[in-house]
Amino acid sequence: MAFSMLQLFLLGALGPRITAALDVSPTVLGLTTTIGFGAAALLSPLGGRVVDAVGPRRCLVALLVVSAVALALIGAAPGAGFLLVAVALGGLPQALANPATNKAILAAVAPARRGSVTGMKQSGVQLGAFAAGLPLAALAGLTGWRGAVWTAAGAALVAAAWAARVLPADPPPKPAAAIRLPQGAIAWLTAFSLLLGCGIASVNTYLALYGSRRLGLGPTAAAALVAVLGVAGIAGRVGWSKVAGRPDRAVWLPGALAAGAVGAALLLAASAYAHPLAWLAAIAVGVFAVSANAVSMVLVMQRAEPGRAGQDSALVSAGFFAGFAVGPPLFGLLASAGRYGPGWLLVAAEFAGAGAVALVWAVRERGTAVRTRAAVVRG
């Protein structure tokens, strides 16, 4: 999970260095996120079908190898065009990550432990944010940004070799169910993830640049904002996913976490006037917004139909990735004009929209549960 999105965390954390070295604008930096997650959104339904057909081990090894290739190409990029092509290739690992890991958990973990294990698994994404924002950003100060990215590519190859050696063998490939549009709870979670992704992607992509250009932080300190967000996200994803292991509580969590994310975005807007608030805001984004995505994965696993866990995970992930593709370009237009305050207010509105979707769905789910119990009593 860490390697599946490491390239985009690196582009965010190393954004000040990359924009200067390649002479690209903040809008182009945001376009890298659009390209990467746009590719992931388009490939996710197919990726889920592939995971259901060939098994999680094969897909996880492929994910890590392709991640290594994409990172190596990013490190070799001479300009914006090459960079965008390399980022597009990195959309494939993202498309495979949640379906493959969720299916592995369903196969190997008892139901009572799936919530906490899923939180630990999802925290791997934030481990990637931490790695990009602290050790790799510090390495970039010594070797340059290309050296840091190439180091990450080598680590992905080591992880691929480990996965091929250690993970249990997959069963023989089998035909997968046909791709279909999201239905029921999966449709609601897809819409929630779309809006949530818009806001999270804008923070991931522009937080370090905001720290550098508006708050006066150096490149390493600005990247540390991303690392702080990553650490908070790890703790939040593990903790909230454990709570979501109880289905009666899980249904209300997305809305509550989205509400906390709105507060985090408002803190970012206020940090222009009180700079230390940026650090508190980074923590809050990790604890609330980033954690909400992990909770949505727990809900998918609780509601996935037999044999469709990969595809249902992929459909919700596709919504999340689509949000990642849409959010940064909108924010980038404001960032290019130096209007970070309105940008953070836009992020707050996106989180508020996600919270509204989650609340409506939770009320509907609660009503359905009440009607079902009443029917059982009458019967």
Side-chain angles (χ1 to χ4, degrees):
M1 290 298 293
F3 282 110
S4 70
M5 288 179 58
L6 182 58
Q7 61 162 357
L8 294 166
F9 285 125
L10 278 171
L11 290 170
L14 304 180
R17 301 179 190 274
I18 294 172
T19 53
L22 301 184
D23 193 25
V24 298
S25 69
T27 301
V28 172
L29 182 66
L31 191 59
T32 62
T33 302
T34 299
I35 294 295
F37 283 101
L42 292 173
L43 292 171
S44 282
L46 178 61
R49 191 169 188 267
V50 169
V51 171
D52 283 338
V54 306
R57 178 178 179 270
R58 297 183 182 97
C59 290
L60 287 170
V61 172
L63 177 163
L64 291 163
V65 171
V66 175
S67 294
V69 173
L71 287 165
L73 292 175
I74 289 171
F82 193 100
L83 180 67
L84 293 176
V85 172
V87 169
L89 177 63
L92 179 58
Q94 296 169 59
L96 292 173
N98 273 316
T101 52
N102 286 355
K103 198 168 183 71
I105 289 172
L106 286 172
V109 178
R113 296 187 59 242
R114 286 174 186 166
S116 59
V117 172
T118 301
M120 293 174 64
K121 182 264 291 188
Q122 292 294 127
S123 72
V125 175
Q126 299 315 119
L127 178 62
F130 173 79
L134 196 60
L136 289 172
L139 180 62
L142 300 174
T143 66
W145 71 270
R146 296 183 190 275
V149 177
W150 284 331
T151 298
L157 284 178
V158 172
W162 170 84
R165 181 180 179 86
V166 173
L167 294 180
D170 291 320
K174 61 181 181 181
I179 297 175
R180 70 182 185 190
L181 294 175
Q183 300 177 9
I186 303 303
W188 285 96
L189 290 170
T190 300
F192 169 78
S193 297
L194 171 65
L195 292 164
L196 184 73
C198 285
I200 293 176
S202 296
V203 177
N204 286 345
T205 304
Y206 288 104
L207 182 58
L209 203 62
Y210 171 70
S212 175
R213 295 190 174 183
R214 179 55 63 85
L215 305 183
L217 301 177
T220 301
L225 279 172
V226 181
V228 167
L229 189 158
V231 172
I234 290 172
R237 285 188 164 194
V238 172
W240 289 119
S241 294
K242 186 175 182 179
V243 174
R246 288 184 52 177
D248 58 326
R249 294 180 179 178
V251 70
W252 298 105
L253 275 180
L257 294 176
V262 172
L266 294 177
L267 283 175
L268 279 173
S271 68
Y273 308 99
H275 295 182
L277 288 178
W279 299 95
L280 181 60
I283 294 171
V285 170
V287 170
F288 296 111
V290 171
S291 300
N293 175 246
V295 169
S296 70
M297 284 294 112
V298 176
L299 286 162
V300 170
M301 294 168 66
Q302 290 172 351
R303 287 160 170 77
E305 296 180 14
R308 299 193 64 97
Q311 290 197 53
D312 286 347
S313 298
L315 290 170
V316 175
S317 295
F320 191 62
F321 295 150
F324 266 64
V326 171
L330 297 176
F331 193 104
L333 295 174
L334 296 169
S336 294
R339 302 181 64 194
Y340 282 97
W344 299 130
L345 293 178
L346 173 62
V347 170
E350 290 162 347
F351 288 149
V357 169
L359 179 60
V360 173
W361 173 69
V363 170
R364 288 169 59 93
E365 287 280 298
R366 178 69 172 175
T368 300
V370 169
R371 289 191 296 271
T372 301
R373 285 196 297 269
V376 170
V377 171
R378 288 195 300 268

